[in-house]
Amino acid sequence: MGAFEEKKETCGTICLKYLLFTFNFLFWLAGGAVMAVGIWTIAAKSDYISLLSSSIYAVSAYILILAGVIVMITGVLGCCATFKEKKGLLRMYFVLLLFIFLLEVLAGVLAYIYYQQLNIELKENLRETMVLKYRQPNQDHITKAVDKLQQEFKCCGSNSSSDWAESEWIRSEDAKRRIVPDSCCKSPSDRCGLRDHPSNIYKVEGGCITKLENFIMEHLKIIGAVGVGIACVQIIGMVFTCCLYRSLKAEPY
């Protein structure tokens, strides 16, 4: 009877090892996906981050990148710990899983918080940024971001094209009597911003604020979903790790 129980426990341990190995392989792939989402968020639309007064959006993405790197390393460590049956490695693996879990939950929470305050931030800051900093000294990154925003989202001004009437640059001689920047034009060319007419420039209801807000909200949903989703999956990994650890502890050395 004792031999049967010992054999049964050994079979259970083997099953746990293969379950945990499979989990770690999938976890390693998930780490790559998490890191890719973070890099995509930062790299694909990095210009727009300069138009935001808050750094929460960027911080959420950087947390995902860090978590993704640690996840991939942890996945390899988990495989080693599983097959070598080292309790010390399993403890380290569990602690890393818990750390990553907290990181990804934090990214998800930050994304949710910023999602709630995004509209207020854009209304308070985007217009001021565009009016006061566009084509001003040492503000090339803002100028590039605004031009890209207006061309990519086919909009003009923060709320409407009339916002540009208060622009420091438009009021200066450098504007050469332009009414709006050339990036407002449907077919951009030098000094095309001289003519403020719907046939020439973008007249979008809600202006660039609405366009940028919708874009960032979609990204925040992805960041939040990925962070919380992977974190939930990690709970399964922690349960498997605890079960294997207890199983190894019960076996003779």
Side-chain angles (χ1 to χ4, degrees):
M1 186 71 177
F4 176 75
E5 288 178 356
E6 183 178 342
K7 183 178 180 181
K8 184 178 179 182
E9 288 175 1
T10 304
C11 290
T13 301
I14 291 172
C15 289
L16 279 172
K17 284 173 61 177
Y18 280 101
L19 280 172
L20 196 54
F21 176 79
T22 303
F23 169 81
N24 279 307
F25 177 71
L26 296 174
F27 192 49
W28 184 83
L29 293 178
V34 168
M35 186 170 60
V37 169
I39 292 172
W40 169 65
T41 301
I42 294 297
K45 306 296 179 182
S46 58
D47 292 330
Y48 300 148
I49 293 175
S50 64
L51 300 177
L52 304 172
S53 60
S54 172
S55 60
I56 295 178
Y57 178 64
V59 168
S60 298
Y62 282 121
I63 288 175
L64 279 187
I65 294 173
L66 175 62
V69 172
I70 299 175
V71 163
M72 297 186 77
I73 295 172
T74 303
V76 175
L77 175 63
C79 290
C80 294
T82 301
F83 279 100
K84 289 188 176 182
E85 299 185 3
K86 298 291 185 181
K87 290 185 290 183
L89 285 177
L90 282 173
R91 283 195 296 268
M92 186 185 301
Y93 174 65
F94 181 85
V95 170
L96 283 174
L97 278 181
L98 183 60
F99 177 69
I100 298 164
F101 174 82
L102 295 174
L103 267 183
E104 289 173 343
V105 168
L106 177 61
V109 169
L110 285 176
Y112 177 77
I113 292 172
Y114 193 54
Y115 184 89
Q116 301 300 311
Q117 68 182 52
L118 179 61
N119 182 265
I120 297 172
E121 180 188 323
L122 288 178
K123 283 181 178 178
E124 289 179 350
N125 298 291
L126 185 59
R127 183 175 181 278
E128 183 179 346
T129 297
M130 295 174 79
V131 167
L132 298 180
K133 296 183 179 180
Y134 183 78
R135 292 211 178 246
Q136 296 305 301
N138 303 316
Q139 299 293 339
D140 290 344
H141 63 294
I142 295 292
T143 300
K144 180 183 176 183
V146 171
D147 285 337
K148 183 177 180 180
L149 174 68
Q150 295 191 138
Q151 273 296 295
E152 192 163 306
F153 291 122
K154 303 184 188 311
C155 57
C156 184
S158 56
N159 294 292
S160 68
S161 58
S162 60
D163 291 336
W164 286 110
E166 299 179 31
S167 166
E168 295 286 339
W169 178 69
I170 290 293
R171 290 177 172 182
S172 69
E173 293 183 1
D174 293 338
K176 298 179 181 178
R177 295 185 296 172
R178 288 180 177 86
I179 300 173
V180 295
D182 294 340
S183 57
C184 279
C185 299
K186 295 178 179 179
S187 299
S189 61
D190 186 40
R191 301 185 70 185
C192 65
L194 288 168
R195 193 165 67 92
D196 181 14
H197 190 273
S199 64
N200 182 49
I201 69 169
Y202 294 113
K203 296 278 189 179
V204 179
E205 185 178 349
C208 293
I209 283 181
T210 302
K211 295 281 189 176
L212 183 58
E213 181 182 7
N214 291 338
F215 166 78
I216 294 177
M217 280 186 169
E218 288 302 314
H219 273 62
L220 287 175
K221 286 178 184 177
I222 294 172
I223 291 174
V226 169
V228 175
I230 297 297
C232 290
V233 172
Q234 284 173 239
I235 295 175
I236 301 173
M238 287 189 279
V239 171
F240 284 161
T241 304
C242 289
C243 291
L244 180 58
Y245 183 85
R246 291 182 64 183
S247 177
L248 291 176
K249 193 171 182 180
E251 291 178 353
Y253 292 99

